[in-house]
Amino acid sequence: MINFDSVTKIYSNGTKAIDDVSFSVKKGEFAFIVGASGAGKSTLLKLLLREEMPSSGSITVNGYSLSDLRPKDIPELRRSMGVVFQDFRLIDSMTVYENVEFALRVTNVPSKNIRRRVPYVLQLVGLADKARSYPYQLSGGQQQRVALARALVNNPALIIADEPTGNIDPQMSYEIVELLNEINRCGTTILMVTHEHRLVREFGKRVITIRKGKLDSDISVKGGAL
Ligand code: ADP
Protein backbone atom coordinates (compact mmCIF):
# COMPACT_ATOMS: atom_id res chain seq x y z
CA MET A 1 0.00 0.00 0.00
CA ILE A 2 2.84 2.37 0.97
CA ASN A 3 6.43 1.56 0.22
CA PHE A 4 9.45 3.79 0.84
CA ASP A 5 12.65 2.34 -0.58
CA SER A 6 15.88 4.14 0.50
CA VAL A 7 14.21 7.53 0.22
CA THR A 8 16.28 10.66 0.73
CA LYS A 9 14.96 14.20 0.43
CA ILE A 10 17.36 17.11 0.29
CA TYR A 11 15.71 20.55 -0.07
CA SER A 12 17.21 23.11 -2.43
CA ASN A 13 18.88 24.91 0.50
CA GLY A 14 20.80 21.72 1.31
CA THR A 15 18.70 20.52 4.28
CA LYS A 16 18.52 16.74 4.35
CA ALA A 17 14.98 16.30 5.71
CA ILE A 18 14.67 12.56 5.00
CA ASP A 19 17.77 10.40 5.06
CA ASP A 20 17.69 6.92 3.51
CA VAL A 21 14.31 5.87 4.89
CA SER A 22 12.76 2.51 4.01
CA PHE A 23 9.48 1.11 5.35
CA SER A 24 6.23 -0.39 4.12
CA VAL A 25 2.70 -0.12 5.37
CA LYS A 26 0.45 -2.97 4.31
CA LYS A 27 -3.19 -2.77 3.35
CA GLY A 28 -5.37 -2.69 6.46
CA GLU A 29 -2.60 -1.56 8.86
CA PHE A 30 -2.82 1.31 11.35
CA ALA A 31 0.54 3.01 11.88
CA PHE A 32 1.54 6.07 13.89
CA ILE A 33 4.45 8.21 12.74
CA VAL A 34 6.09 10.03 15.63
CA GLY A 35 9.09 12.29 15.95
CA ALA A 36 10.19 15.62 17.41
CA SER A 37 9.56 18.88 15.61
CA GLY A 38 11.88 19.10 12.60
CA ALA A 39 12.35 15.31 12.45
CA GLY A 40 10.94 15.13 8.92
CA LYS A 41 7.31 14.06 9.43
CA SER A 42 5.76 16.76 7.22
CA THR A 43 8.30 16.10 4.51
CA LEU A 44 7.39 12.43 4.61
CA LEU A 45 3.71 13.27 4.11
CA LYS A 46 4.53 15.73 1.32
CA LEU A 47 6.44 12.97 -0.43
CA LEU A 48 3.44 10.62 -0.06
CA LEU A 49 1.09 13.20 -1.55
CA ARG A 50 3.66 14.01 -4.24
CA GLU A 51 3.85 17.61 -3.19
CA GLU A 52 7.60 16.99 -3.04
CA MET A 53 9.75 14.56 -5.01
CA PRO A 54 12.51 12.48 -3.39
CA SER A 55 16.12 13.34 -4.22
CA SER A 56 16.79 9.61 -4.41
CA GLY A 57 15.00 6.34 -3.70
CA SER A 58 11.51 5.32 -4.73
CA ILE A 59 8.02 5.59 -3.29
CA THR A 60 4.93 3.57 -4.14
CA VAL A 61 1.49 4.54 -2.81
CA ASN A 62 -1.77 2.73 -3.58
CA GLY A 63 -0.14 1.08 -6.59
CA TYR A 64 1.23 4.35 -8.02
CA SER A 65 4.95 4.57 -8.49
CA LEU A 66 5.43 8.23 -7.65
CA SER A 67 8.58 8.86 -9.68
CA ASP A 68 6.90 7.55 -12.84
CA LEU A 69 3.62 9.35 -12.26
CA ARG A 70 2.61 11.81 -15.00
CA PRO A 71 1.48 15.23 -13.74
CA LYS A 72 -2.00 14.59 -15.15
CA ASP A 73 -2.31 11.50 -12.93
CA ILE A 74 -1.50 13.35 -9.67
CA PRO A 75 -5.16 14.22 -8.91
CA GLU A 76 -6.05 10.55 -9.27
CA LEU A 77 -3.30 9.59 -6.81
CA ARG A 78 -4.53 12.18 -4.30
CA ARG A 79 -8.12 11.01 -4.65
CA SER A 80 -6.99 7.53 -3.66
CA MET A 81 -6.15 8.95 -0.21
CA GLY A 82 -8.23 10.83 2.31
CA VAL A 83 -6.24 13.46 4.17
CA VAL A 84 -7.04 15.06 7.53
CA PHE A 85 -5.05 18.07 8.77
CA GLN A 86 -4.39 19.58 12.18
CA ASP A 87 -6.23 22.79 11.25
CA PHE A 88 -9.31 20.99 9.82
CA ARG A 89 -9.32 23.07 6.56
CA LEU A 90 -13.09 23.31 6.33
CA ILE A 91 -14.76 25.97 4.19
CA ASP A 92 -16.29 28.45 6.66
CA SER A 93 -19.06 29.65 4.33
CA MET A 94 -20.36 26.12 3.76
CA THR A 95 -22.48 23.96 6.04
CA VAL A 96 -21.20 20.63 7.34
CA TYR A 97 -23.19 18.85 4.61
CA GLU A 98 -21.82 21.15 1.89
CA ASN A 99 -18.23 20.74 3.08
CA VAL A 100 -18.50 16.98 2.70
CA GLU A 101 -20.53 17.16 -0.51
CA PHE A 102 -17.94 19.47 -2.07
CA ALA A 103 -15.31 16.74 -1.86
CA LEU A 104 -17.59 14.47 -3.92
CA ARG A 105 -18.63 17.13 -6.41
CA VAL A 106 -15.05 17.62 -7.59
CA THR A 107 -14.98 13.95 -8.60
CA ASN A 108 -18.12 14.05 -10.84
CA VAL A 109 -20.06 11.61 -8.68
CA PRO A 110 -23.74 11.45 -9.78
CA SER A 111 -26.12 13.51 -7.60
CA LYS A 112 -28.07 10.43 -6.62
CA ASN A 113 -24.95 8.89 -5.07
CA ILE A 114 -24.08 12.17 -3.33
CA ARG A 115 -27.50 12.22 -1.63
CA ARG A 116 -26.83 8.76 -0.25
CA ARG A 117 -23.14 9.00 0.55
CA VAL A 118 -22.98 12.33 2.43
CA PRO A 119 -25.56 11.41 5.12
CA TYR A 120 -23.92 8.01 5.43
CA VAL A 121 -20.46 9.37 6.30
CA LEU A 122 -21.91 12.08 8.56
CA GLN A 123 -23.70 9.37 10.49
CA LEU A 124 -20.48 7.35 10.60
CA VAL A 125 -18.66 10.20 12.39
CA GLY A 126 -21.65 10.88 14.67
CA LEU A 127 -22.66 14.21 13.16
CA ALA A 128 -25.91 13.43 11.35
CA ASP A 129 -27.68 16.07 13.44
CA LYS A 130 -25.15 18.80 12.54
CA ALA A 131 -25.53 18.62 8.76
CA ARG A 132 -26.97 22.14 8.55
CA SER A 133 -24.51 23.73 11.00
CA TYR A 134 -21.56 25.87 9.94
CA PRO A 135 -18.01 25.09 11.12
CA TYR A 136 -17.96 28.05 13.55
CA GLN A 137 -20.96 26.53 15.34
CA LEU A 138 -19.03 23.35 16.14
CA SER A 139 -16.38 22.40 18.71
CA GLY A 140 -12.86 21.61 17.53
CA GLY A 141 -13.49 17.89 17.93
CA GLN A 142 -16.67 18.12 15.87
CA GLN A 143 -14.90 20.11 13.14
CA GLN A 144 -12.26 17.43 12.95
CA ARG A 145 -14.99 14.82 12.60
CA VAL A 146 -16.39 16.79 9.64
CA ALA A 147 -12.90 16.79 8.13
CA LEU A 148 -12.77 13.05 8.67
CA ALA A 149 -16.18 12.60 7.01
CA ARG A 150 -14.88 14.62 4.05
CA ALA A 151 -11.78 12.42 3.86
CA LEU A 152 -13.94 9.29 3.94
CA VAL A 153 -16.60 10.31 1.48
CA ASN A 154 -14.72 9.07 -1.60
CA ASN A 155 -14.16 5.73 0.14
CA PRO A 156 -10.34 5.89 -0.03
CA ALA A 157 -8.24 2.82 0.70
CA LEU A 158 -5.83 4.98 2.75
CA ILE A 159 -6.39 7.77 5.27
CA ILE A 160 -3.50 10.05 6.14
CA ALA A 161 -3.98 12.08 9.29
CA ASP A 162 -1.47 14.87 9.96
CA GLU A 163 -1.55 15.75 13.69
CA PRO A 164 -5.36 15.43 13.65
CA THR A 165 -5.59 15.93 17.41
CA GLY A 166 -3.22 18.90 17.58
CA ASN A 167 -5.99 21.47 18.04
CA ILE A 168 -8.47 19.60 20.20
CA ASP A 169 -8.77 18.68 23.85
CA PRO A 170 -7.60 15.29 25.21
CA GLN A 171 -11.03 13.67 25.50
CA MET A 172 -11.99 14.67 21.95
CA SER A 173 -8.55 13.56 20.75
CA TYR A 174 -9.19 10.12 22.15
CA GLU A 175 -12.54 10.00 20.34
CA ILE A 176 -10.97 11.00 17.02
CA VAL A 177 -8.37 8.22 17.27
CA GLU A 178 -11.09 5.80 18.36
CA LEU A 179 -13.02 6.77 15.23
CA LEU A 180 -9.93 6.22 13.08
CA ASN A 181 -9.58 2.86 14.81
CA GLU A 182 -13.14 1.90 13.85
CA ILE A 183 -12.56 3.01 10.27
CA ASN A 184 -9.42 0.87 10.28
CA ARG A 185 -11.41 -2.13 11.54
CA CYS A 186 -13.58 -1.79 8.42
CA GLY A 187 -10.44 -2.27 6.29
CA THR A 188 -9.13 1.25 5.60
CA THR A 189 -5.38 1.70 6.06
CA ILE A 190 -4.48 4.54 8.45
CA LEU A 191 -1.27 6.51 8.73
CA MET A 192 -1.38 9.07 11.53
CA VAL A 193 1.34 11.57 12.35
CA THR A 194 1.32 12.69 15.98
CA HIS A 195 3.56 13.74 18.83
CA GLU A 196 1.08 12.71 21.50
CA HIS A 197 2.81 9.78 23.10
CA ARG A 198 -0.03 9.17 25.53
CA LEU A 199 -2.46 8.49 22.67
CA VAL A 200 0.05 6.32 20.87
CA ARG A 201 0.58 4.18 23.99
CA GLU A 202 -3.14 3.87 24.62
CA PHE A 203 -3.96 2.48 21.19
CA GLY A 204 -1.10 -0.04 20.99
CA LYS A 205 -0.62 0.21 17.21
CA ARG A 206 2.52 0.12 15.11
CA VAL A 207 4.78 3.11 15.81
CA ILE A 208 7.32 4.36 13.28
CA THR A 209 9.69 6.89 14.86
CA ILE A 210 11.56 9.40 12.71
CA ARG A 211 14.59 11.12 14.20
CA LYS A 212 16.65 13.73 12.36
CA GLY A 213 15.34 12.45 9.03
CA LYS A 214 16.17 8.82 9.75
CA LEU A 215 13.96 5.90 10.67
CA ASP A 216 14.80 5.53 14.34
CA SER A 217 12.54 2.62 15.27
CA ASP A 218 9.58 0.68 13.93
CA ILE A 219 7.71 -1.13 16.69
CA SER A 220 4.90 -3.51 15.85
CA VAL A 221 1.67 -3.99 17.79
CA LYS A 222 3.04 -6.92 19.75
CA GLY A 223 5.95 -4.87 21.02
CA GLY A 224 8.66 -6.44 18.87
CA ALA A 225 10.79 -4.41 16.46
CA LEU A 226 9.89 -5.01 12.83
P1 ADP B 1 8.48 17.88 11.09
O1 ADP B 1 7.22 17.81 10.29
O2 ADP B 1 8.83 16.58 11.73
O3 ADP B 1 8.49 19.00 12.07
P2 ADP B 1 9.71 18.80 8.61
O4 ADP B 1 9.53 17.74 7.59
O5 ADP B 1 8.80 19.98 8.53
O6 ADP B 1 9.68 18.15 10.07
O7 ADP B 1 11.20 19.35 8.52
C1 ADP B 1 12.35 18.53 8.46
C2 ADP B 1 13.56 19.40 8.17
O8 ADP B 1 13.47 19.94 6.85
C3 ADP B 1 13.69 20.59 9.11
O9 ADP B 1 15.06 20.82 9.32
C4 ADP B 1 13.08 21.74 8.30
O10 ADP B 1 13.64 22.96 8.67
C5 ADP B 1 13.47 21.36 6.88
N1 ADP B 1 12.51 21.82 5.86
C6 ADP B 1 11.19 21.56 5.80
N2 ADP B 1 10.64 22.11 4.69
C7 ADP B 1 11.65 22.73 4.03
C8 ADP B 1 11.73 23.47 2.81
N3 ADP B 1 10.66 23.67 2.03
N4 ADP B 1 12.94 23.95 2.44
C9 ADP B 1 14.03 23.73 3.20
N5 ADP B 1 14.04 23.03 4.35
C10 ADP B 1 12.85 22.53 4.77
Side-chain angles (χ1 to χ4, degrees):
M1 177 128 268
I2 297 175
N3 190 57
F4 269 55
D5 188 9
S6 305
V7 173
T8 293
K9 171 67 188 176
I10 305 172
Y11 284 109
S12 52
N13 67 356
T15 305
K16 197 185 259 186
I18 294 289
D19 186 2
D20 195 20
V21 166
S22 300
F23 69 92
S24 316
V25 177
K26 291 197 202 73
K27 189 170 165 19
E29 265 195 279
F30 187 136
F32 287 112
I33 304 248
V34 301
S37 175
K41 306 180 297 297
S42 307
T43 302
L44 199 135
L45 293 188
K46 284 181 185 155
L47 289 166
L48 276 175
L49 294 165
R50 208 179 182 277
E51 289 174 12
E52 293 287 351
M53 287 283 276
S55 310
S56 62
S58 59
I59 303 172
T60 314
V61 182
N62 291 345
Y64 297 91
S65 168
L66 300 199
S67 7
D68 304 333
L69 201 65
R70 290 167 299 183
K72 75 175 183 62
D73 294 328
I74 294 177
E76 194 182 301
L77 162 80
R78 294 192 182 145
R79 275 200 298 275
S80 74
M81 303 178 237
V83 190
V84 179
F85 302 94
Q86 178 171 1
D87 56 0
F88 321 135
R89 301 198 191 175
L90 301 175
I91 301 171
D92 294 335
S93 59
M94 288 186 180
T95 63
V96 164
Y97 186 97
E98 289 162 349
N99 264 282
V100 177
E101 180 188 42
F102 186 66
L104 274 183
R105 287 230 183 270
V106 296
T107 63
N108 300 322
V109 170
S111 314
K112 200 176 93 207
N113 298 18
I114 291 181
R115 283 195 297 272
R116 268 205 308 264
R117 186 79 189 152
V118 177
Y120 171 73
V121 288
L122 285 178
Q123 191 208 341
L124 206 66
V125 301
L127 286 179
D129 58 335
K130 297 286 183 192
R132 289 164 188 273
S133 301
Y134 286 87
Y136 75 90
Q137 297 170 314
L138 304 178
S139 71
Q142 288 170 330
Q143 290 186 54
Q144 193 57 294
R145 282 193 273 151
V146 178
L148 193 51
R150 182 185 53 189
L152 284 169
V153 78
N154 289 312
N155 201 18
L158 170 66
I159 294 271
I160 293 176
D162 185 7
E163 298 271 8
T165 61
N167 279 325
I168 52 189
D169 65 57
Q171 176 58 29
M172 287 291 180
S173 297
Y174 183 88
E175 285 173 19
I176 289 287
V177 186
E178 185 51 53
L179 199 51
L180 286 170
N181 202 13
E182 269 172 46
I183 292 162
N184 174 248
R185 277 199 289 267
C186 299
T188 308
T189 309
I190 312 272
L191 191 66
M192 172 172 159
V193 169
T194 185
H195 57 249
E196 294 187 56
H197 292 278
R198 186 186 52 82
L199 270 182
V200 168
R201 272 196 302 274
E202 220 156 315
F203 282 87
K205 302 288 185 187
R206 178 178 175 189
V207 185
I208 298 168
T209 307
I210 307 288
R211 189 163 175 268
K212 295 182 180 160
K214 285 186 176 291
L215 198 148
D216 191 48
S217 66
D218 188 346
I219 311 290
S220 76
V221 181
K222 291 176 188 70
L226 287 175

